[in-house]
Amino acid sequence: MVRAGEDPIPTGRAPGGTGPASFRERFLQGEPVETGVRTSILDSWRRCRTLGLSPDQSDLPFREDFEPDGRIVRAAVPVLDRLQAKFAGSAMNISVADASGTVLLRRFGEASLARLLPAIQSVPGFVFAENVAGTNGIGLALAERQPIRVYGAEHFAERSQGSACRALPVRDPLSGRIEGVLCFGYPRSAEDPALDTVIRKAAETIERRLLGQSSSRERALLRAYLDSGAEAAAGFRHRTGVPELAVEMSPRDRAILMEKAAELIACAQRACVDVPLSDGRRVTLVSRPMTSASGVEGFAIEAVVPGPSPREPLASPHPVHEPLGLPAELAVATPLTLSGAVPDVAAGRLHVTPPSEYLPGTEQGLAVGVERVTAGDGTTDEHSDSPPPARGLMMVGEPHVGTYALAARRRLELLSEAGVRIGTTLDVRRTARELAESAVPQLADFVTIDLPEAVLRGEEAADPRSDLRRTVVHGIHDDCPFHPVGKQVDYGPSMPQSRCLTSGQAVLEPDLKTAAGWFAQEPEHSAQLLSHVHSLIAAPLVARGAVLGVAGFYRAQDSPAFGDDDRSLAQELAARAALSIDNARRYTRERAMVLALQRSLLPHGVPDQDAVEVAHRYLPAESDVGGDWYDVIPLSGSRIGLFVGDVVGHGMLSAATMGRLRTAARSFAELDFPPDEVLTHLDKLVGRLDREDPGAVDAGIIGATCLYAIYDPTTQRCTMARAAHPPPALVRPDGTVWFPDLPAGPPLGLGGLPFESAELDLPENSQLVLYTDGLIEDRHRDVDVVLDQLRATLARADGTPDETCEAILDSVAPAHPCDDIALLVARTHALDPQRIATWDLPADPALVSEVRASATRQLADWGLDEAAFAAELVLSELVTNAIRHGAGPIRVRLLHDRTLICEVSDTSNTAPHLRRAAGTDEGGRGLFLVAQLTQSWGTRYTQQGKVIWAECGIEAA
């Protein structure tokens, strides 16, 4: 048999070794059965084994002191009588138990069945709580606090192997507390899905009858009030309403009055309180005790308001309704429904109650139209300068009903506050802590939250029960011995936390001392914990079908135990927080992906070179990763190129665009273009990318900024150009700091506007500081103030570039950056003039041999004799090409750096090209030889012409 939404139930005989019987035997032998047993049954089996229960035990506790005429019995008797008639002639066994599992009522479809069954199954008084009777319908319904079905050998007792049962908790509609359990027992062969509907409707009828009992008590209180009022006001003329309380009052004012009236009833004592209204008037609420003829004790709340103006007529604000069961002379009472779903509260604790139906003709809580106070002769004093006040009944009820009404409002306030407080950030840990702070102390005294390590990283946990980490511990004080934050927490299968993770529903343990499995794991720590707390709700954090962790809500020893209403509220809070945690987790994952992409596209190290000593930092924004970047590019002639840039926007697109822009910038720089030309090429590229990108309208990159600087250690000059980027900071060796006034240039992508370069002299040991706008621009700080801070920091920073970077981030960078920060600090060096050799010569081929000889002598002085052969051939070819194809004068320069650099410059703009010479060609092989003998070669253009350069390795030397 298969029912919708549930696992199939084997219908074979229990003793046959198949189906539930086989699973149960395997469980008793210690074999894993997770895939063959329903979760609720498996959890119950585990609890039974933890308690040391065995299937062969048959004795159950019997109580003779149970109340045979309690509320649940009075409400259930008529319902069970009708069920008995409905199932007449069948083997149906119908029972009602109280909240402790003690059976109070028995009914049988076949009367003879009562004589055939043993007393344990036919006589009221036996206790079927799970901790003494094992897995059964009544005990499991109380343990799981939800509808339960137990079939055949799923029972943990041999006596019930041939039976099946359905059990459903019955709750007080006002308090939400479980008052008892309705249970249907029947042979396994009589299994019928329609029984679910029958037992549910029967339980609802019992609950309505419980509500009717409360309504009759309050009607008795109202009758007592009206009787006493009629006697006290004999001869007075009564009215059915006062405009001040009805017609002219705003809904908010009425709600405030109702809340204050409920508070006075909940206080259970004589009191008087003034309630200010939004229009400046004040209403006085007075409470006084009432006792009905039947002995019901409660309180009546009377309202006193200023009287109307002398000429203002009185009017009835609402039609008068006659409550069911009251005589016509009491028709002055106007029914008021406080709430259809009233929570319970104990000592200020909130309890959530599910919605319930009222019996027709009954109302929970009654208010009366306010009366106009009259003169002693029965006439109103219409000529008085000060109109008399209006006075009348506002509400009557028992104190616990007022407490329920207050709890309903406090529950809504707590949920409203939690909606505002939880999820203010996209940080997983912070969001979890906000959940704990929202629940303490309004719901719980202590809250612990455990999340898998994968969730903290932004991923989904494959198994949320493994690798749980204590993420939050929060409570009314800090000396409770919970596991500390960061510790790995393991929960056994019978622990409430594991059960809630498995079922996806909050698990309530009102008394941890009697909770099965609580001491099975870490008994010493559990005992220490029980000296501080005594009640627990474990609520899973589930969002979008993914289990993210578990929240534990605890009550301290001096606080009342949790109830079902608390469990519902805790689950609601956990569900709301789980969505925010999942949003934070998804954001964390996306941010981690973007940050990983961003870092992978940034330089992973500093190239080996001697022109500058470089340090760099990249600090992502807290909210989202942007497109800031930097680069250090070795150039020909021992020069170095320094880039820093910022792509507009944030997220994956900006990071990817940054990578494309940095790659293009590096390519243009390695072509030895000057800074202004590099920015011009980048400007064209950005514009083309935006035009080609189909999403450019919504996510264009026009507006990117960039700063490019080239430093030449041979001349100690730096050439810079910027595209709407903040200017660099320059620090001279004496500590003087200044911000050069470079031509600003337009942002990249606008097109049509030129870029300009500027040259600056940088003495050796100067510092060049490049940065993006995230360092200095912040909505909470003034840019000029930040630049002054940067100036002061750089003036004090006389250490290495690394130390300068740290000083800048510590003193200048915002504590919570809203934009990325890219920082590049370069300390300049100068190439020793003794390592530079220069010869100027006219365009005369006869001088080539002299250049070779001079170069050979210079290399010998440098100790580079091994490189002399290659250098001679390279210089001979480059000088000859310059003489034949260029224009004089010609300059030859040798640089002894990490490599031997040969440069030949002339005033022509014609560049040589490497080509493959044919076998019959007499020439065309010179540049091929140069390329083979050197590590690299190329051409760079200057304002006076061009430079052909080649780098020879000197490792052998």
Side-chain angles (χ1 to χ4, degrees), residues 448-790:
T448 64
I449 298 177
D450 306 319
L451 302 177
E453 186 68 27
V455 172
L456 296 175
R457 295 195 304 267
E459 305 167 2
E460 288 190 11
D463 183 4
R465 289 173 294 183
S466 64
D467 198 25
L468 282 172
R469 301 281 174 173
R470 180 56 49 84
T471 307
V472 174
V473 177
H474 182 65
I476 55 178
H477 51 76
D478 299 329
D479 58 351
C480 199
F482 291 106
H483 289 304
V485 172
K487 179 179 176 59
Q488 184 171 357
V489 183
D490 296 320
Y491 294 112
S494 60
M495 296 285 285
Q497 288 85 349
S498 293
R499 289 157 49 200
C500 82
L501 288 174
T502 302
S503 65
Q505 300 294 322
V507 172
L508 167 63
E509 291 291 356
D511 188 359
L512 287 174
K513 293 180 180 179
T514 61
W518 180 254
F519 290 96
Q521 186 171 335
E522 298 185 274
E524 183 177 352
H525 178 262
S526 299
Q528 293 177 355
L529 200 57
L530 283 183
S531 64
H532 294 78
V533 298
H534 71 106
S535 191
L536 163 68
I537 296 175
L541 299 171
V542 182
R544 302 179 180 94
V547 180
L548 305 176
V550 60
F553 301 86
Y554 294 85
R555 286 270 175 87
Q557 290 289 354
D558 55 351
S559 300
F562 283 119
D564 286 288
D565 307 325
D566 300 305
R567 180 180 66 169
S568 300
L569 180 56
Q571 178 138 344
E572 175 71 14
L573 285 175
R576 296 189 179 195
L579 286 174
S580 297
I581 291 175
D582 191 50
N583 289 338
R585 179 193 65 81
R586 289 167 176 254
Y587 168 76
T588 300
R589 180 181 62 180
E590 180 179 342
R591 185 176 187 275
M593 293 172 58
V594 174
L595 187 57
L597 174 63
Q598 175 88 341
R599 293 192 184 280
S600 69
L601 295 175
L602 291 173
H604 292 179
V606 178
D608 294 333
Q609 46 79 38
D610 294 327
V612 291
E613 181 184 354
V614 179
H616 51 79
R617 295 291 187 275
Y618 172 73
L619 186 64
E622 282 193 352
S623 58
D624 204 354
V625 179
D628 291 16
W629 58 282
Y630 59 87
D631 208 348
V632 179
I633 306 171
L635 302 176
S636 63
S638 294
R639 299 171 306 144
I640 195 73
L642 304 175
F643 267 113
V644 67
D646 185 2
V647 176
V648 295
H650 296 84
M652 188 74 72
L653 178 61
S654 294
T657 303
M658 178 275 293
R660 300 167 71 182
L661 196 60
R662 173 179 170 251
T663 300
R666 190 178 187 92
S667 299
F668 294 142
E670 289 178 343
L671 290 175
D672 272 328
F673 291 142
D676 55 339
E677 292 188 25
V678 169
L679 295 184
T680 300
H681 288 294
L682 288 177
D683 178 63
K684 295 178 180 178
L685 173 67
V686 169
R688 184 171 69 252
L689 291 177
D690 263 342
R691 290 191 299 271
E692 294 175 353
D693 189 352
V697 175
D698 299 325
I701 58 176
I702 290 180
T705 67
C706 183
L707 171 66
Y708 181 36
I710 298 177
Y711 173 70
D712 188 345
T714 63
T715 61
Q716 301 178 41
R717 295 185 65 81
C718 184
T719 306
M720 305 182 194
R722 63 185 179 120
H725 199 85
L730 301 178
V731 186
R732 292 190 177 94
D734 60 0
T736 305
V737 181
W738 90 102
F739 297 93
D741 187 15
L742 302 179
L748 298 179
L750 293 184
L753 298 176
F755 297 93
E756 298 182 44
S757 297
E759 283 194 2
L760 302 172
D761 290 322
L762 293 182
E764 187 173 11
N765 291 322
S766 298
Q767 285 197 107
L768 178 62
V769 181
L770 312 180
Y771 50 88
T772 56
D773 58 1
L775 177 67
I776 61 173
E777 294 182 5
D778 185 82
R779 58 177 175 268
H780 303 296
R781 303 186 300 171
D782 183 80
V783 173
D784 293 333
V785 174
V786 178
L787 289 176
D788 289 340
Q789 292 177 351
L790 178 60

Side-chain angles (χ1 to χ4, degrees), residues 313-381:
L314 293 175
S316 176
H318 299 292
V320 177
H321 301 279
E322 180 180 348
L324 184 65
L326 293 180
E329 61 268 20
L330 300 182
V332 67
T334 302
L336 170 69
T337 300
L338 292 181
S339 174
V342 186
D344 185 14
V345 70
R349 300 291 182 180
L350 293 174
H351 297 258
V352 182
T353 301
S356 58
E357 298 181 19
Y358 288 117
L359 290 176
T362 63
E363 286 75 24
Q364 191 55 48
L366 296 169
V368 184
V370 181
E371 303 170 344
R372 174 76 174 274
V373 177
T374 58
D377 59 358
T379 62
T380 59
D381 184 7

Side-chain angles (χ1 to χ4, degrees), residues 173-245:
L174 285 179
S175 68
R177 291 191 299 263
I178 293 178
E179 294 290 332
V181 176
L182 175 63
C183 182
F184 287 2
Y186 46 88
R188 293 168 57 234
S189 58
E191 175 69 38
D192 186 353
L195 291 176
D196 280 340
T197 302
V198 176
I199 193 172
R200 178 177 54 81
K201 290 184 176 181
E204 290 173 353
T205 304
I206 296 174
E207 290 174 348
R208 286 197 299 270
R209 290 182 59 82
L210 288 172
L211 183 61
Q213 295 177 14
S214 299
S215 300
S216 63
R217 295 166 64 91
E218 293 185 350
R219 286 199 302 270
L221 285 174
L222 177 61
R223 183 187 298 274
Y225 173 83
L226 295 178
D227 288 345
S228 64
E231 180 181 355
F236 288 7
R237 181 165 60 87
H238 297 280
R239 295 285 183 177
T240 59
V242 175
E244 286 82 358
L245 277 182

